[in-house]
Amino acid sequence: MSSVRSVSGWGRTAPSTSLLVRPRTYEEAAAAVLGCGARGSIARGLGRAYGDAAQNAGGAVLDMTGLDRIHSVDADAGTVVCDAGVSLHRLMEVLLPLGWFVPVTPGTRYVTVGGAIGADIHGKNHHVSGSFSRHVRSLDLLTADGTVHTAAPGSALFDATAGGMGLTGVILTATVQLLPVRTSLMSVDTERATDLDDLMARLTATDHRYRYSVAWIDLLARGAATGRSVLTRGDHAPLDALPARARRAPLSFRTATLPAPPPFIPEGLLSRASVSLFNELWYRRAPRLRTGEIQRLPAFFHPLDAVPHWNRIYGRGGFVQYQFVVGYGQEETLRRIVGRISRRRCPSFLAVLKRFGEADPGWLSFPVPGWTLALDIPATLSGLGAFLDELDEEVAGAGGRVYLAKDSRLRPDLLAAMYPRLADFRALRAELDPGAVFTSDLSRRLGL
């Protein structure tokens, strides 16, 4: 099945037209790769990369969601073998009743396993569990010549593919190690932090007590309140923490859906004034300290998934999701950047700060030990490009990097400074794919 479509990332900033192909068998995927033409091809999952990583102007885009079989589950060992097009949502539906959970989930469960590996996604538990690829035991990769290779952690092919943004080949299947859980509910602690230093002190002192940790940060607050935050941390609730009614079906997985925003939202809806009001209300309604609250998994991990097409709220111009990391010891850099964003009055209401643990082995994996800040900004904000370029330079100068799965505008000259294994990645890619069969708008823009 194929058709010419306009394709964009979740940020909706730079759509491009491609031949969208939806293979339903491995053979069809191989045929699509071998017959993709001069402009090449790139695999795509559920379209949650924010930028242009899963776009290919004038070429082919392989919609992998038709390859969505769960081949086997070992309920004793806690492993699952599945196609790359299986979503994390589907895995949760199947695995939670068996007492297993995905090892890493980002802010949406509507991500495919192939996308999770290609972007080497991270979640609220990186300081404990690392990124998704750390839990992948093996994967099958379709390369440019139509050959399928099995790659294991520690091999060059695996480490280039983990975080490689689909540029080493098409992931067909993966074996993933799972996390055992007793219930499908979370035990959550929530507290306010009065400013950025207060937040960093709380995270540094007590993050080791929690599997999951994230802070919503008010980037419009200024003065003494700069960086004020709501810190939310938790772990999978034990059975004895559940109320009596919930103990009857402790591993049930239920989700809720709210009405979607209309297709067209008036420009300017997310103004500085409206976001400032939202941030003020969100901070004030948060408890100063609340412990042991029982929450459902979707509410804790994926609150925005309850709103279909929530990206429409930014209007036709879309939005830029900007995420960077700077290492421990670079707290002053983080303070300067937060201060600059605050003074610039960037209207971001989905801003989060987390701590990363040990670096992951993927050559282009984003996480390194340190502080990561992610924020959304309406793409129509005046002077945004130049402002983010300045932040990129500050991040690179501090030895940090930006997240390629969310990027839509990074300058290519900064890439090597941010990703020290870039030369190795390019060399392996040239060896595997000398004709640049696997190509995306991202790879052209950054010279990957």
Side-chain angles (χ1 to χ4, degrees):
M1 184 189 305
S2 63
S3 60
V4 176
R5 297 278 185 88
S6 177
V7 178
S8 75
W10 193 246
R12 305 170 72 205
T13 54
S16 60
T17 301
S18 308
L19 178 67
L20 192 67
V21 183
R22 193 168 190 259
R24 293 187 176 274
T25 66
Y26 303 151
E27 292 77 16
E28 288 181 4
V33 167
L34 293 172
C36 64
R39 293 288 287 182
S41 63
I42 194 70
R44 180 182 178 91
L46 288 166
R48 291 304 181 104
Y50 286 84
D52 51 4
Q55 300 173 211
N56 182 21
V61 170
L62 275 62
D63 176 353
M64 297 299 292
T65 58
L67 289 167
D68 60 354
R69 291 168 295 175
I70 296 177
H71 294 277
S72 64
V73 177
D74 187 331
D76 295 322
T79 57
V80 60
V81 181
C82 63
D83 285 345
V86 173
S87 70
L88 300 191
H89 174 81
R90 178 61 179 150
L91 288 182
M92 292 176 196
E93 286 183 322
V94 171
L95 298 171
L96 272 167
L98 303 176
W100 297 97
F101 189 62
V102 294
V104 171
T105 178
T108 174
R109 60 186 179 275
Y110 296 113
V111 175
T112 63
V113 169
I117 298 169
D120 205 12
I121 61 170
H122 57 272
K124 298 180 173 85
N125 59 339
H126 191 276
H127 63 293
V128 172
S129 302
S131 62
F132 191 88
S133 293
R134 194 182 296 184
H135 306 273
V136 176
R137 298 295 168 250
S138 68
L139 59 85
D140 288 340
L141 186 76
L142 173 67
T143 53
D145 61 358
T147 303
V148 177
H149 302 264
T150 298
S155 68
L157 186 57
F158 185 97
D159 291 348
T161 300
M165 306 310 298
L167 297 172
T168 60
V170 178
I171 300 168
L172 297 176
T173 66
T175 301
V176 182
Q177 184 69 53
L178 306 168
L179 176 71
V181 294
R182 298 293 306 280
T183 75
S184 61
L185 296 167
M186 303 296 296
S187 177
V188 181
D189 294 352
T190 305
E191 59 190 289
R192 286 192 216 164
T194 56
D195 57 31
L196 183 60
D197 284 342
D198 182 30
L199 172 63
M200 289 193 291
R202 292 173 189 243
L203 286 167
T204 300
T206 58
D207 242 15
H208 64 280
R209 301 177 188 168
Y210 299 89
R211 180 176 294 274
Y212 303 100
S213 177
V214 66
W216 169 85
I217 183 169
D218 182 359
L219 292 177
L220 284 174
R222 291 184 289 182
T226 298
R228 66 178 181 179
S229 310
V230 178
L231 178 56
T232 306
R233 295 181 286 188
D235 208 334
H236 298 276
L239 190 61
D240 60 9
L242 270 55
R245 169 181 267 179
R247 293 182 198 179
R248 299 172 192 166
L251 290 167
S252 65
F253 178 56
R254 297 197 299 272
T255 61
T257 303
L258 300 174
F264 302 107
I265 302 290
E267 299 295 338
L269 179 66
L270 295 183
S271 65
R272 290 185 177 94
S274 63
V275 174
S276 180
L277 176 61
F278 171 87
N279 288 1
E280 180 70 26
L281 294 174
W282 190 261
Y283 181 77
R284 294 298 175 189
R285 73 180 291 274
R288 294 184 183 275
L289 177 64
R290 181 175 60 204
T291 61
E293 181 189 12
I294 299 299
Q295 293 184 6
R296 296 190 182 278
L297 284 170
F300 182 78
F301 287 109
H302 314 121
L304 284 174
D305 281 349
V307 185
H309 306 294
W310 61 262
N311 54 344
R312 293 177 184 168
I313 65 175
Y314 296 86
R316 296 185 184 185
F319 69 103
V320 172
Q321 176 84 187
Y322 184 68
Q323 183 169 6
F324 68 89
V325 59
V326 292
Y328 297 123
Q330 291 292 334
E331 286 76 13
E332 190 55 41
T333 300
L334 178 62
R335 292 186 186 97
R336 282 199 305 271
I337 291 176
V338 168
R340 292 184 66 176
I341 295 170
S342 175
R343 291 190 297 275
R344 182 69 168 69
R345 306 292 285 160
C346 292
S348 175
F349 73 96
L350 295 177
V352 296
L353 183 74
K354 293 180 291 203
R355 294 172 75 247
F356 280 158
E358 294 181 11
D360 298 292
W363 292 351
L364 295 186
S365 288
F366 169 65
V368 293
W371 304 94
T372 181
L373 177 66
L375 61 149
D376 63 300
I377 311 171
T380 54
L381 188 68
S382 177
L384 179 61
F387 177 67
L388 293 181
D389 283 347
E390 294 173 2
L391 297 191
D392 289 340
E393 292 175 1
E394 187 152 6
V395 168
R401 58 184 59 165
V402 300
Y403 191 16
L404 297 183
K406 295 185 175 180
D407 177 58
S408 57
R409 26 74 42 208
L410 178 68
R411 295 201 322 260
D413 57 290
L414 292 176
L415 196 63
M418 292 181 172
Y419 289 90
R421 298 297 301 270
L422 178 63
D424 295 327
F425 178 82
R426 284 173 169 159
L428 181 65
R429 184 156 133 71
E431 178 185 339
L432 284 174
D433 185 10
V437 168
F438 296 112
T439 304
S440 66
D441 292 354
L442 173 80
S443 71
R444 291 191 187 96
R445 177 169 56 82
L446 293 178
L448 285 170

